[in-house]
Amino acid sequence: MNLALIELFIIEMPLKSPFITHLGTVRDREGIIVKVTDKDGVSGMGEGVAFSTPWYTEETVKTSIHMISDVLIPLLKKHPVNHPEEAAALFQSVRRNNMAKAAIETALWDLYAKKKGQPLSKAIGGTREVVASGVVVAVDSIKNALKQIEEYVAEGYQRIKVKINPQQDYEFLAEIRKCYPDLPIMADANSAYTLRDLDRLKALDELNLMMIEQPLSPNDIIQHAALQKELQTPICLDESIVNFEDARNAVELGSCKVINIKVGRVGGLTEAKRIHDYCFQHNIPVWCGGMIEFGISRAHNIALASMPGFSIPGDISSSSRFWEEDIIAPEITVENGVTQVPTSPGIGFKINEKRLKETTTATIDFQL
Ligand code: OSB
Ligand code: MG
């Protein structure tokens, strides 16, 4: 791909309101914006979605910077690639560190699509002109939950995802269900339960939830299969699925009926596509998960969610869901419950240079 320069922008931005889960609260988001530029001066953008601390996966912003700087870029220097899929294959020689890999690989996909003069969605096999938008409510009081839901329903979101845990589940969801009898609602537990909570989880069956996301620990693949046999509500796996093999094992074992695909969690668009293709063949619906990310990663998510198997609204919310001002222009917007898939080359969004500058805390450059 004739790479000449890779630039990292470490950025930081406060969320408009705290994002509360039983694992911790996110108030400020650090992120890594990756810009790859080739010898013709064409650039592609990617984003590293690891958090500041390892609460969601083992990676952090600092481990990502280390991996990108000291391992992945040196690999690319030593083995120049002609296609983003070659970078994904090259990165297989490094264990895990999927968010660091995805940060670079997605930037290469944007560059690749721009060189072809194609929207990224088309370059990866997307077919939709719009993607269905959902939004996440992550608060610790029913009052705040109902306030946010009212707002989001008015904005047209097609489904609401609510964070739950054993201290905040049946009564909380029942109250929401009472106010919104027909709203598509799903619950995300982020591994807050074990099989000992079987009765608590079974009680949720009567609330007509679309699905319950990641009830048990990431490695509880067999336990999720046992749980799914006892529940009517479909289980969706998030943290458990970090590569194609995890998805295949989960489907073969009956550990879930739905899969949440996150580009960062699985190491890039190449692996995300593989999981999508497998699920599509096996009639397992998928949707695109969010990482409280900035506009660059959200733009990659929109391209991914335009693929045919993404039949359920994902965490594709507007830039204004989390940010006073995003780092892309135009910002991502949701109208009538959908987000338009861009038709211009690459990710289809430009950088808001002023906003990038004012949120950047450090930059690192690599000459290739
Ligand atoms: O479990 O899906 C999750 C955000 C950060 C880390 C994990 C999760 C989430 C979300 C998505 O719930 C929020 C979003 O970006 O819209
Ligand atoms: Mg989740």
Side-chain angles (χ1 to χ4, degrees):
M1 298 179 80
N2 283 318
L3 300 177
L5 177 66
I6 301 183
E7 295 161 89
L8 308 185
F9 302 81
I10 319 303
I11 67 173
E12 187 169 357
M13 214 189 279
L15 273 66
K16 279 166 126 179
S17 61
F19 189 93
I20 303 169
T21 76
H22 76 104
L23 297 171
T25 299
V26 181
R27 290 189 172 79
D28 280 286
R29 182 68 162 114
E30 277 186 295
I32 305 168
I33 304 303
V34 177
K35 181 176 182 182
V36 299
T37 304
D38 73 4
K39 299 209 161 83
D40 300 330
V42 182
S43 296
M45 306 294 300
E47 180 177 328
V49 297
F51 290 98
S52 306
T53 61
W55 66 274
Y56 171 74
T57 65
E58 68 281 8
E59 293 181 85
T60 68
V61 172
K62 278 194 179 155
T63 69
S64 293
I65 295 170
H66 161 54
M67 276 296 146
I68 292 170
S69 305
D70 303 328
V71 179
L72 301 176
I73 291 178
L75 264 177
L76 279 176
K77 272 192 190 175
K78 199 164 166 211
H79 306 278
V81 296
N82 294 311
H83 193 283
E85 286 175 357
E86 282 179 28
L90 182 64
F91 293 168
Q92 293 273 353
S93 64
V94 176
R95 302 253 184 247
R96 300 283 184 127
N97 293 285
N98 287 348
M99 293 174 181
K101 292 173 181 172
I104 302 268
E105 193 249 22
T106 53
L108 294 175
W109 271 108
D110 181 30
L111 172 60
Y112 168 81
K114 285 197 170 109
K115 295 290 274 190
K116 282 189 90 172
Q118 258 188 342
L120 178 62
S121 60
K122 288 280 175 313
I124 63 172
T127 51
R128 298 171 197 278
E129 286 171 17
V130 299
V131 298
S133 281
V135 65
V136 183
V137 170
V139 293
D140 59 2
S141 78
I142 186 68
K143 186 168 146 273
N144 286 341
L146 291 174
K147 204 174 112 211
Q148 283 196 1
I149 292 170
E150 188 182 357
E151 217 176 279
Y152 296 147
V153 167
E155 287 175 39
Y157 285 102
Q158 294 193 33
R159 71 94 166 109
I160 304 284
K161 162 166 140 184
V162 184
K163 295 288 190 186
I164 60 161
N165 62 67
Q167 280 70 51
Q168 173 177 299
D169 51 19
Y170 181 84
E171 280 175 43
F172 193 79
L173 290 166
E175 186 70 27
I176 298 171
R177 178 52 83 212
K178 201 175 85 199
C179 300
Y180 298 92
D182 303 316
L183 182 66
I185 301 171
M186 52 176 288
D188 186 359
N190 289 109
S191 304
Y193 299 88
T194 72
L195 274 184
R196 285 191 295 280
D197 299 307
L198 181 60
D199 291 339
R200 287 201 81 82
L201 293 165
K202 271 177 124 161
L204 305 181
D205 270 344
E206 68 182 62
L207 296 170
N208 189 26
L209 302 175
M210 296 169 79
M211 68 193 80
I212 173 167
E213 186 180 343
Q214 197 67 44
L216 311 178
S217 280
N219 290 322
D220 282 352
I221 205 75
I222 292 174
Q223 290 77 0
H224 276 109
L227 178 61
Q228 182 66 89
K229 284 197 182 72
E230 300 287 330
L231 294 186
Q232 274 154 29
T233 309
I235 292 175
C236 168
L237 291 177
D238 173 355
E239 287 92 325
S240 291
I241 310 296
V242 304
N243 58 32
F244 171 81
E245 287 73 20
D246 288 338
R248 193 182 55 197
N249 289 345
V251 169
E252 279 187 15
L253 281 169
S255 312
C256 63
K257 294 182 177 163
V258 182
I259 288 180
N260 162 342
I261 302 182
K262 290 187 185 174
V263 178
R265 197 188 66 230
V266 304
L269 280 167
T270 307
E271 194 76 356
K273 264 156 47 79
R274 278 183 84 202
I275 296 171
H276 161 274
D277 294 350
Y278 173 84
C279 289
F280 195 52
Q281 267 171 20
H282 290 80
N283 285 317
I284 300 290
V286 300
W287 53 274
C288 181
M291 283 293 289
I292 320 179
E293 63 259 270
F294 301 105
I296 298 293
S297 176
R298 281 302 216 231
H300 285 280
N301 291 348
I302 291 168
L304 180 67
S306 76
M307 297 187 75
F310 285 81
S311 53
I312 298 175
D315 297 335
I316 312 267
S317 47
S318 63
S319 294
S320 64
R321 159 69 182 86
F322 293 118
W323 316 121
E324 287 297 345
E325 186 181 358
D326 204 341
I327 57 163
I328 54 164
E331 294 202 335
I332 290 165
T333 54
V334 173
E335 270 168 62
N336 301 318
V338 298
T339 302
Q340 299 290 326
V341 178
T343 51
S344 50
I347 57 173
F349 293 87
K350 293 207 159 57
I351 282 285
N352 173 342
E353 297 288 351
K354 174 194 132 272
R355 187 59 171 158
L356 180 66
K357 204 166 177 188
E358 71 191 18
T359 54
T360 295
T361 58
T363 58
I364 315 174
D365 291 0
F366 303 88
Q367 308 290 334
L368 277 89

